[in-house]
Amino acid sequence: MKRGDIGIALVLIVAVAWFGISKFVGDDGAAQGTYAVIEVNGKHYDTVALTEESRDIEIRTERGYNLLRVSRGGIEMIESDCPDQLCVGFGHIHEVHDTIVCLPNRVFVEVIGEQTEGSEPDAVVN
């Protein structure tokens, strides 16, 4: 091995270590102070802080039943009585502007808050 090879190897080791530490310790892309705005039938229902502790939110309307769970700094639809169950398939959302929509029950959930670097749109097209 030459002197240059050792330098390249050290740079690669430091880069891999930095990446591993940032993934293990760093945030998951969610902004600090993120909230979920919940709308039912086009009207504001609730705004909840997205925290690490688990909390369930039941939504019962004449159109149906939905159960949301706040946990791990995000929110997810874990249960619904709608026929297609697409809203349950959205999974756990936590980044600003992520959404969950249940059309049959008219439930809309959007994550709001400050955007972190890298979470903003790449481009805007008119």
Side-chain angles (χ1 to χ4, degrees), residues 7-51:
I8 291 173
L10 286 174
V11 169
L12 286 173
I13 290 170
V14 169
V16 168
W18 179 266
F19 178 75
I21 291 171
S22 68
K23 282 294 185 187
F24 181 71
V25 176
D27 67 20
D28 55 3
Q32 296 296 329
T34 53
Y35 298 88
V37 175
I38 304 166
E39 293 181 5
V40 178
N41 206 18
K43 296 182 179 152
H44 183 267
Y45 181 82
D46 199 2
T47 300
V48 295
L50 299 182
T51 60

Side-chain angles (χ1 to χ4, degrees), residues 14 29 42 73 75 78 88 91 93 106 112 126:
V14 169
I75 191 166
I78 60 170
V88 177
I93 63 171
R106 295 189 180 172
I112 62 167
N126 288 329

